[in-house]
């Protein structure tokens, strides 16, 4: 398998630490609001990565955090706590907000066929682990205490910026606008490990610690949660591109100082989904959620299909026109598959006929997750006259183990409001004819319904119908 590694800025052969096994960490959601479909693009990418690794024969152990404390408005530790802001907005407690949006996040994942990672931890459940980790960093001399807060001193590191591939001074200039001046930091790029003072006044959740009652920084949570589930060495760590700095840069600083060696071998980042005005936002413009697109008549898998048709590292601009095309293409694809399904049951699959396609499929996913090529391959399979229907269905089913588009699940036939009124009118006329013992008329109405592909069943609760 070849994967693009942000750390080396190259596509590299993937070599796991332990043969056949992959330890994978993915940064989870900050549960102060619904996820937007941009966030969910990143989780689709990670889902495809996990399923591709498994398809290629690896055993994957994956962990993810749920951020319910410590993530500030700005990723660089400044501004208001996102959770607190969400709680104020909805006049609820931080824990109520966290509970509600965690559940909403997993419901969205279900609708997009994103598998839940094996190991998930809430940030607020791991405070003892952060304290232990910070104590070690302190003992090793990489922290300082200033105005009630513990900061990580990045000047102690030789290669703080290895993930961003910039010089420290250039990075400082590049992120100047994002970093609010904190006069208690020695260097504006230093970051908080434990806060007791600044921005803290009305923090709802606080814990005792050797540095005073307070709360952890955002970055320490992923380092500690990864340690708990995956141990000392990790194969792959992922997130969206915005996580490269400061979040993943700071995770590396903490974890490599803590362990005293290189921590993660492959860093993978998905490109952003933007809206037409630029950056996707939860507060400005249309807040694009799964619920919103569903209310407009799309379903989650239309969006998943849209995402899979472009490469995960490319930026993607969302528009309803592209979502319309994705929906139309997916319906067309599923309709073709349904036609094939009908005669696939009686035929046999010959291994020599499908081998070439399976190899191609494996090569595409092993080529830094080229899902767009897999989609094209499925259309080729459908057209291939040398394959019988059973072979086509077998192949599509294999590919859907990674794409997860429910390609073999039959579509419910849609009935328009107008058609529904006609059907119900005919059914009530038929019932009336039966009541009048006019069986000729009743049968002729049934015949009409059959022609419309409507199957009816008389039950104690009345006449039921369905489109077949
Ligand atoms: P958050 O809930 O803000 O911590 O973000 C959750 C995940 O979504 C992280 O991996 C981010 O890198 C990612 N993300 C944030 N915005 C976008 C976007 N517009 N497109 C794709 N991924 C994003
Ligand atoms: Zn993280």
């Amino acid at each position: 398998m070849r994967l693009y590694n942000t750390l080396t800025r190259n596509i590299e052969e993937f070599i796991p630490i332990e043969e056949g096994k992959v330890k994978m960490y993915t940064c989870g959601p900050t549960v102060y609001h619904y996820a937007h479909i941009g966030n969910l693009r990143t989780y689709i990418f990670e889902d495809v990565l996990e399923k591709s690794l498994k398809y290629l024969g690896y055993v994957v152990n994956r962990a993810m955090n749920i951020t319910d404390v410590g993530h500030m408005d700005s990723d660089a530790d400044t501004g208001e706590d996102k959770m607190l802001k969400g709680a104020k907005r909805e006049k609820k407690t931080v824990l109520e907000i966290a509970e509600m949006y965690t559940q909403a996040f997993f419901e969205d994942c279900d609708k997009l066929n994103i598998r839940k990672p094996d190991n998930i931890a809430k940030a607020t459940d791991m405070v003892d682990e952060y304290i232990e980790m910070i104590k070690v960093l302190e003992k090793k001399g990489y922290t300082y205490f200033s105005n009630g807060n513990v900061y990580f001193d990045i000047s102690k590191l030789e290669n703080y910026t290895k993930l961003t591939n910039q010089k420290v001074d250039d990075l400082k200039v590049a992120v100047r606008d994002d970093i609010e001046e904190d006069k208690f930091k020695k260097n504006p790029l230093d970051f908080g490990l434990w806060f007791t003072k600044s921005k803290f006044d009305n923090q709802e959740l606080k814990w005792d610690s050797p540095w005073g009652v307070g709360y952890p920084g955002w970055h320490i949570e992923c380092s500690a949660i990864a340690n708990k589930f995956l141990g000392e060495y990790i194969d792959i760590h992922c997130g969206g591109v915005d996580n490269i700095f400061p979040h993943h840069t700071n995770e590396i600083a903490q974890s490599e100082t803590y362990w005293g060696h290189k921590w993660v071998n492959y860093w993978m980042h998905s490109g952003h989904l933007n809206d037409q005005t630029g950056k996707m936002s939860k507060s400005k413009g249309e807040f694009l959620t799964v619920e919103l697109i569903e209310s407009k008549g799309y379903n989650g898998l239309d969006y998943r299909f849209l995402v899979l048709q472009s490469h995960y590292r490319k930026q993607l601009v969302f528009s309803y026109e592209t979502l319309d095309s994705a929906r139309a293409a997916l319906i067309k694809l599923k309709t073709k598959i349904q036609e094939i399904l009908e005669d696939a049951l009686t035929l046999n699959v010959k291994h020599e006929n499908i081998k070439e396609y399976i190899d191609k499929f494996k090569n595409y996913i092993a080529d830094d997750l080229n899902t767009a090529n897999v989609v094209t391959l499925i259309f080729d399979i459908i057209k291939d006259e040398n394959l019988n229907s059973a072979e086509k269905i077998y192949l599509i089913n294999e590919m859907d183990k990674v794409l997860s588009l429910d390609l073999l699940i039959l579509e419910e036939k849609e009935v328009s409001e107008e058609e529904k009124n006609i059907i119900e009118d005919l059914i009530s006329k038929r019932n009336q004819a039966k009541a009048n013992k006019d069986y000729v008329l009743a049968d002729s109405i049934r015949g009409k319904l059959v022609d419309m592909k409507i199957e009816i069943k008389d039950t104690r609760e009345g006449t039921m119908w369905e489109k077949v």
Side-chain angles (χ1 to χ4, degrees):
M1 190 171 206
R2 294 165 305 282
L3 298 172
Y4 182 85
N5 189 352
T6 308
L7 193 60
T8 57
R9 288 157 290 282
N10 267 317
I11 299 211
E12 290 176 14
E13 188 63 36
F14 173 65
I15 303 166
I17 296 157
E18 201 181 327
E19 209 186 321
K21 294 192 178 159
V22 182
K23 287 196 268 184
M24 174 176 168
Y25 189 85
T26 48
C27 291
T30 308
V31 284
Y32 70 110
H33 216 324
Y34 293 107
H36 58 49
I37 58 172
N39 301 128
L40 291 160
R41 181 192 188 192
T42 293
Y43 298 104
I44 293 174
F45 142 66
E46 292 160 348
D47 184 61
V48 167
L49 174 62
E50 180 184 354
K51 288 172 178 165
S52 297
L53 287 161
K54 285 180 172 164
Y55 194 84
L56 296 172
Y58 295 101
V59 174
V60 180
N61 186 13
R62 177 174 166 196
M64 186 178 88
N65 60 302
I66 301 282
T67 302
D68 54 0
V69 68
H71 192 173
M72 299 299 152
D73 241 358
S74 142
D75 283 346
D77 269 356
T78 53
E80 212 179 342
D81 181 301
K82 283 190 179 181
M83 293 302 299
L84 205 59
K85 205 169 155 182
K88 272 192 209 154
R89 185 186 62 234
E90 300 189 20
K91 300 191 176 48
K92 293 202 167 95
T93 65
V94 165
L95 289 178
E96 281 168 345
I97 287 283
E99 181 64 39
M100 175 177 140
Y101 288 119
T102 302
Q103 209 180 328
F105 171 73
F106 286 116
E107 280 166 15
D108 285 346
C109 287
D110 269 352
K111 288 175 182 165
L112 298 173
N113 279 351
I114 297 169
R115 184 185 171 275
K116 215 171 170 174
D118 308 307
N119 307 294
I120 296 172
K122 289 198 285 186
T124 47
D125 283 345
M126 299 282 295
V127 176
D128 288 348
E129 282 81 352
Y130 312 145
I131 292 174
E132 275 319 300
M133 210 170 166
I134 300 168
K135 278 203 281 203
V136 172
L137 300 179
E138 188 177 43
K139 211 162 155 197
K140 289 191 173 187
Y142 285 78
T143 68
Y144 58 92
F145 190 71
S146 174
N147 190 42
N149 301 328
V150 184
Y151 293 101
F152 191 100
D153 184 350
I154 66 134
S155 71
K156 295 275 162 71
L157 296 177
E158 267 176 27
N159 204 355
Y160 170 68
T161 51
K162 68 178 174 187
L163 197 62
T164 65
N165 193 30
Q166 281 160 298
K167 294 203 173 79
V168 168
D169 286 340
D170 294 341
L171 183 61
K172 253 191 245 174
V173 173
V175 300
R176 197 175 36 201
D177 294 341
D178 300 333
I179 302 180
E180 191 185 286
E181 205 51 57
D182 176 349
K183 60 180 188 300
F184 299 106
K185 283 184 186 177
K186 289 190 202 164
N187 179 324
L189 297 180
D190 290 345
F191 57 93
L193 296 165
W194 189 266
F195 295 100
T196 73
K197 282 264 173 66
S198 54
K199 313 152 244 159
F200 176 59
D201 293 345
N202 44 14
Q203 180 75 13
E204 244 178 70
L205 302 173
K206 306 173 201 184
W207 295 264
D208 208 1
S209 85
W211 312 280
V213 175
Y215 66 102
W218 171 42
H219 315 295
I220 194 75
E221 93 182 49
C222 287
S223 286
I225 293 172
N227 287 357
K228 178 183 162 90
F229 292 116
L230 306 176
E232 202 170 333
Y233 294 94
I234 292 178
D235 293 293
I236 305 176
H237 190 132
C238 340
V241 274
D242 58 301
N243 280 165
I244 296 174
F245 180 84
H247 187 48
H248 290 166
T249 296
N250 292 347
E251 279 188 52
I252 293 176
Q254 298 160 159
S255 294
E256 298 201 345
T257 303
Y258 177 82
W259 291 114
H261 56 68
K262 187 178 177 190
W263 176 48
V264 172
N265 285 340
Y266 301 86
W267 286 89
M268 293 181 68
H269 296 97
S270 60
H272 267 191
L273 178 82
N274 293 329
D275 61 24
Q276 269 144 336
T277 64
K279 197 169 182 272
M280 197 155 282
S281 161
K282 297 191 181 185
S283 52
K284 284 185 251 86
E286 193 176 41
F287 179 8
L288 286 160
T289 58
V290 172
E291 203 177 13
L292 179 78
I293 62 168
E294 278 182 337
S295 74
K296 294 184 189 252
Y298 304 95
N299 67 51
L301 296 186
D302 298 333
Y303 176 62
R304 185 172 173 112
F305 192 52
L306 167 71
V307 167
L308 297 184
Q309 281 174 296
S310 63
H311 194 264
Y312 77 86
R313 275 191 288 123
K314 282 206 185 115
Q315 249 191 48
L316 199 59
V317 176
F318 177 79
S319 73
Y320 284 105
E321 289 76 48
T322 50
L323 189 58
D324 278 337
S325 314
R327 178 169 171 75
L330 186 58
I331 291 173
K332 197 166 140 200
L333 180 59
K334 288 189 74 165
T335 311
K336 286 196 168 136
I337 293 169
Q338 280 172 31
E339 285 162 15
I340 305 170
L341 254 178
E342 281 162 23
D343 56 51
L345 292 172
T346 52
L347 301 166
N348 290 324
V349 174
K350 279 211 186 96
H351 179 72
E352 62 270 27
N353 292 352
I354 56 165
K355 189 179 173 309
E356 196 187 321
Y357 279 112
I358 292 285
D359 289 346
K360 272 192 186 164
F361 167 54
K362 285 186 176 168
N363 281 335
Y364 288 147
I365 53 175
D367 178 20
D368 198 26
L369 311 179
N370 196 335
T371 51
N373 275 1
V374 178
V375 172
T376 312
L377 191 64
I378 292 184
F379 282 103
D380 292 345
I381 289 168
I382 291 173
K383 278 187 284 185
D384 188 338
E385 289 172 1
N386 296 318
L387 292 171
N388 72 29
S389 300
E391 287 158 351
K392 291 181 185 183
I393 293 299
Y394 178 89
L395 286 167
I396 293 166
N397 188 41
E398 287 304 287
M399 295 175 200
D400 209 30
K401 288 178 184 168
V402 171
L403 300 184
S404 296
L405 291 166
D406 288 351
L407 293 175
L408 297 184
I409 295 182
L410 297 182
E411 280 290 299
E412 266 182 42
K413 301 276 188 323
E414 280 186 29
V415 180
S416 70
E417 208 46 42
E418 198 186 343
E419 208 180 352
K420 196 170 150 198
N421 290 339
I422 297 171
I423 294 163
E424 283 173 359
D425 186 47
L426 284 171
I427 288 177
S428 97
K429 283 192 175 129
R430 174 177 168 266
N431 287 342
Q432 192 58 51
K434 273 182 23 182
N436 297 339
K437 299 201 169 24
D438 186 349
Y439 298 113
V440 178
L441 179 60
D443 281 352
S444 94
I445 295 175
R446 177 187 270 270
K448 219 180 229 173
L449 287 163
V450 170
D451 291 344
M452 290 167 70
K453 297 209 177 329
I454 302 298
E455 205 170 74
I456 55 173
K457 221 183 247 160
D458 293 313
T459 71
R460 270 196 300 185
E461 284 77 38
T463 308
M464 302 296 178
W465 62 270
E466 110 178 284
K467 182 130 183 163
V468 289

